[in-house]
Amino acid sequence: MRLRALGAVAVLAVLAGCGGTAEAPAGGNRDLLANLPSCDRVPLDQEPEVAADVPGLVLPDGARVTSVVVQGALTSVEATVRMSPLDVRAHYEQRTDVDLLRIEDEIFETEVLARARDRRMYLRATALCADGTTLTAMVAPDSDDAGLPEFHTG
């Protein structure tokens, strides 16, 4: 079921094209998210929740962490949240406790690079259903060569 939903997201993302960048948000494209399956049909809470005491990790309220993996200086975190990727973007743009270094979206996916508590966090928010999103975050030391993923958009 999850793969089917992600496949639908990929097809819709290709059809939709780029939704916006840090300079031009994709506010008018919310209707495309309605084409995704209802979140009632795509459970966001199948995996057990785990504790995430990771310095520099700043997730939206209500995020449900399902995985934390430490890999040397990098820590990867998987979570879900009842928000669209566009809502995730707006959330980070309104925060005052993080320094946004870069933020981009393509309607069905938002990427955030932020600095918090002397750490850098790269976060990718991908639509799973109409108002549910998977979050993949990587947290590392605050450095340009920290080994964080590159943005997928141009």
Side-chain angles (χ1 to χ4, degrees), residues 14-129:
V14 168
L15 293 174
C18 290
T21 65
E23 296 79 31
N29 294 314
R30 288 187 181 273
D31 293 341
L32 293 173
L33 292 169
N35 293 323
L36 295 175
S38 165
C39 288
D40 295 338
R41 295 178 38 209
V42 181
L44 296 176
D45 56 2
Q46 283 183 323
E47 298 179 46
E49 190 169 6
V50 299
D53 185 17
V54 179
L57 177 67
V58 183
L59 297 176
D61 291 339
R64 190 172 177 285
V65 176
T66 56
S67 172
V68 176
V69 178
V70 178
Q71 304 162 324
L74 296 174
T75 301
S76 63
V77 177
E78 298 286 333
T80 57
V81 67
R82 286 282 184 176
M83 302 172 91
S84 74
L86 297 174
D87 294 332
V88 170
R89 175 195 174 121
H91 168 82
Y92 283 102
E93 289 177 329
Q94 294 172 8
R95 289 191 78 122
T96 59
D97 60 337
V98 298
D99 180 20
L100 285 178
L101 304 174
R102 185 171 176 184
I103 191 165
E104 294 181 356
D105 66 59
E106 292 186 359
I107 305 163
F108 299 99
E109 179 179 273
T110 293
E111 293 174 286
V112 176
L113 180 62
R115 180 182 298 124
R117 298 181 223 137
D118 298 324
R119 308 281 288 170
R120 282 198 187 187
M121 177 187 74
Y122 165 87
L123 179 127
R124 184 174 51 232
T126 306
L128 183 58
C129 52

